[in-house]
Amino acid sequence: MIFTTIGTQLPFDRLLRGMDSWAARNKDIRIVAQAGATTSRFQNFQTVAYLSQPEFRDHMNSASLVVAHAGMGTILSASELGLPVILMPRLGKFGEHRNDHQLDTAKEMARLSNVTIVEDGESLHHALDLARARNFEVPRAQSADVSGELDPLLRAIQDFVWKDEAPLRVGAFSNGREIA
């Protein structure tokens, strides 16, 4: 199952339209999307407006792949589970966010071996096709490191986000991918 999430703040129809058109060509793949406040209707996958935290976690646990906006909560949750993630940053020029801070997040997260960054529907389709060809698996050499060792970027993110929580078990990733 592919779990798609766009967060809970603003609509992100550009990502959801890309998923809908890919799903139309791949009807054998189950896709569930937390679609937020969109008023659009999507014909080729299941949508739910909002999920409780336990429901969100259940969907993440059932997923083989996560497709999302560049939100830190989603990135950390997917990384904790060793899931591959395709991120499409929201862009201010399309009214998807107030600014382009998700571009900065995506650029940093592109270092993680389980993260692929896409810019539009065409690159989303390409990334989904590639993930499907790999059976939605993170290559063994790049999957979460069971030793629990974190690279410095993930350690800093974890320390900031979870400073009063139990530590995450996140793998050490690094592949140097960048976005334009």
Side-chain angles (χ1 to χ4, degrees):
M1 185 259 293
I2 297 174
F3 179 49
T4 302
T5 179
I6 62 156
T8 59
Q9 293 181 9
L10 299 167
F12 194 15
D13 288 353
R14 183 168 58 98
L15 172 63
L16 295 172
R17 280 191 306 272
M19 288 301 298
D20 196 48
S21 60
W22 187 83
R25 295 186 292 108
N26 294 275
K27 293 195 180 281
D28 60 316
I29 304 293
R30 182 170 179 247
I31 301 170
V32 177
Q34 182 225 353
T38 186
T39 56
S40 298
R41 299 288 175 241
F42 303 98
Q43 303 299 313
N44 299 297
F45 61 92
Q46 177 187 348
T47 61
V48 60
Y50 298 100
L51 296 168
S52 67
Q53 283 197 321
E55 292 169 324
F56 182 88
R57 192 66 166 172
D58 287 346
H59 281 80
M60 290 290 269
N61 284 326
S62 298
S64 299
L65 172 72
V66 175
V67 177
H69 69 133
M72 287 305 305
T74 300
I75 296 165
L76 289 172
S77 295
S79 293
E80 176 185 10
L81 296 169
L83 291 171
V85 184
I86 298 173
L87 298 176
M88 181 185 286
R90 293 172 178 270
L91 299 176
K93 70 182 180 182
F94 297 129
E96 297 164 345
H97 221 302
R98 292 171 288 286
N99 58 42
D100 286 338
H101 75 277
Q102 286 198 355
L103 285 172
D104 295 330
T105 300
K107 185 174 183 176
E108 289 301 315
M109 294 302 106
R111 294 187 199 182
L112 303 175
S113 65
N114 66 322
V115 174
T116 301
I117 308 301
V118 298
E119 299 173 358
D120 54 29
E122 183 178 335
S123 59
L124 174 62
H125 288 196
H126 177 73
L128 286 164
D129 289 342
L130 184 59
R132 181 177 182 154
R134 292 181 178 159
N135 293 317
F136 305 106
E137 293 181 9
V138 175
R140 174 74 73 206
Q142 298 176 358
S143 61
D145 177 357
V146 295
S147 71
E149 292 299 317
L150 301 174
D151 85 7
L153 174 64
L154 286 178
R155 168 98 34 225
I157 293 168
Q158 175 184 321
D159 290 348
F160 176 76
V161 174
W162 300 104
K163 57 187 158 201
D164 296 325
E165 301 289 331
L168 294 173
R169 304 256 328 153
V170 184
F173 305 107
S174 179
N175 73 355
R177 278 184 268 173
E178 292 195 18
I179 62 172

